Amino acid sequence: MSLPSHVRLVEVGPRDGLQNEAQPISVDDKVRLVDALTEAGLGYIEVGSFVSPKWVPQMAGSAEVFARIQRKPGVVYGALAPNLRGFEDALAAGVKEVAVFAAASEAFSQRNINCSISESLERFAPIMEAARQHGISVRGYVSCVLGCPYEGSIAPEQVALVARELYAMGCYEVSLGDTIGTGTAGATRRMFEAVSANVPRDKLAGHFHDTYGQALANIYASLQEGIAVFDSSVAGLGGCPYAKGASGNVATEDVLYLLDGLGIHTGIDMDRLIAAGNRISEVLGRATGSRVAKARSAT
Ligand code: HMG
Ligand code: MG
């Protein structure tokens, strides 16, 4: 299969990246990050989550962030919603697209959203209904598609079942997350082959973490499988509060460098992206997690 000529990047840094940070990050800094990502040309930015603040305190100010960002026409500003309450709060904050999140592993589902996989899917049904009424698009996530911190290996068929349910209930796209970053290129290809029996490839996205340094290899393997949407996080921000040891999401800068080298178009400005990532890294008081940003910023 030839590689896609265009790839869409879903920037998850402000949400998946920052949700795990223990230190308080001001609304100002979050707004500045989202605005800088808009200016860098990202077409989709996941801005926050409407989840329980007891479970993920860092996302508590998401409504305020949404109120203050500069929205650019044509750019999607999305948010996570785990239940109808979260959906309603998102709607009230002016969110036009939400994401629901399920897991391929029962144990992770319990730890992350306190219910079984099938209960989570039942919880999403009223969100889908309300979203239809309000003309809101819903994206779906499946976590732990290439391994679980509690259950170990996950069968591709199990991922395919959960992805099929999300697609069947109306998610326009299903993002498959290697939450703990243990996946390899071979496992990635097998997983997409299994899932694409249930969901068309052009409705699938890849979401890779770089814990074992495999994320770019897995993205390349996914491109070879015809996948053309990837989630990534500026400066490699991230980890997961319910997956101990999971390092950051793959850095957007590094994915962009890979895609640029393949002649694959994204419309993203590397210099602005690096500046956005370096600034939030300064706020967090640590070096960027992007190899490209490190190399380009070294003098
Ligand atoms: P629960 O405790 O079972 O829910 O949590 P509950 O219905 O019993 O409610 C408990 C309390 O939370 C109540 O408040 C509710 O009002 C409140 P209290 O009476 O105790 O004061 N509550 C809410 N508050 C705000 N917004 C809401 C909401 N819902 C209930 N929407 C629940 C269940 C799903 C709420 C909880 O487990 C939760 O919020 N989990 C979120 C976990 C999360 O955000 N994880 C990270 C995102 S997933 C991820 O990162 C993976 C992904 O990025 C892919 C990858 O990286 O691979 C997607
Ligand atoms: Mg992630």
Side-chain angles (χ1 to χ4, degrees):
M1 201 181 288
S2 60
L3 301 184
S5 55
H6 285 71
V7 157
R8 196 154 55 76
L9 292 185
V10 171
E11 172 57 52
V12 297
R15 191 281 302 172
D16 198 3
L18 297 185
Q19 70 183 6
N20 201 31
E21 294 295 332
Q23 57 176 304
I25 303 162
S26 70
V27 170
D28 273 356
D29 283 325
K30 291 177 181 172
V31 168
R32 201 161 155 180
L33 173 63
V34 173
D35 288 348
L37 292 165
T38 299
E39 288 310 312
L42 270 308
Y44 190 122
I45 304 170
E46 205 171 64
V47 171
S49 292
F50 293 86
V51 299
S52 162
K54 287 184 190 143
W55 285 67
V56 185
Q58 188 63 257
M59 290 292 107
S62 291
E64 213 185 327
V65 179
F66 268 100
R68 288 176 43 193
I69 53 174
Q70 298 281 332
R71 299 187 199 213
K72 185 171 173 181
V75 177
V76 178
Y77 299 93
L80 292 195
N83 51 22
L84 192 57
R85 153 94 190 267
F87 175 83
E88 284 166 352
D89 289 352
L91 200 64
V95 178
K96 300 279 185 284
E97 173 156 340
V98 299
V100 294
F101 48 110
S105 135
E106 283 295 349
F108 189 82
S109 184
Q110 288 292 350
R111 297 288 213 297
N112 193 32
I113 48 176
N114 206 23
C115 64
S116 68
I117 298 171
S118 64
E119 283 166 342
S120 74
L121 297 170
E122 278 166 31
R123 254 182 217 175
F124 299 154
I127 298 184
M128 302 308 300
E129 182 51 38
R132 263 188 290 274
Q133 281 169 16
H134 291 93
I136 303 282
S137 306
V138 184
R139 193 169 192 252
Y141 278 107
V142 186
S143 314
C144 295
V145 300
L146 295 172
C148 165
Y150 313 109
E151 290 181 13
S153 62
I154 297 291
E157 294 69 30
Q158 169 67 12
V159 182
L161 283 178
V162 180
R164 185 183 66 192
E165 293 297 321
L166 290 174
Y167 186 58
M169 70 171 61
C171 291
Y172 73 90
E173 182 172 281
V174 180
S175 169
L176 302 172
D178 180 15
T179 312
I180 56 171
T182 52
T184 59
T188 297
R189 293 196 76 161
R190 281 192 294 281
M191 189 270 297
F192 276 117
E193 273 157 30
V195 177
S196 61
N198 288 351
V199 181
R201 285 169 203 254
D202 64 353
K203 306 293 180 199
L204 293 173
H207 178 118
F208 294 100
H209 285 240
D210 207 28
T211 320
Y212 281 71
Q214 303 300 301
L216 288 181
N218 293 342
I219 288 175
Y220 191 69
S222 308
L223 290 167
Q224 290 178 314
E225 287 294 322
I227 305 303
V229 183
F230 296 97
D231 303 348
S232 61
S233 179
V234 70
L237 299 173
C240 175
Y242 301 101
K244 287 251 169 308
S247 73
N249 292 74
V250 66
T252 309
E253 298 91 322
D254 300 1
V255 180
L256 183 60
Y257 187 78
L258 170 76
L259 297 172
D260 281 348
L262 291 167
I264 296 176
H265 182 73
T266 58
I268 300 167
D269 180 314
M270 178 68 94
D271 292 336
R272 287 184 171 180
L273 182 62
I274 289 176
N278 287 352
R279 176 164 196 284
I280 188 68
S281 300
E282 264 168 44
V283 168
L284 295 170
R286 58 169 185 262
T288 173
S290 157
R291 303 289 289 269
V292 170
K294 254 183 221 148
R296 290 277 175 97
S297 309
T299 44

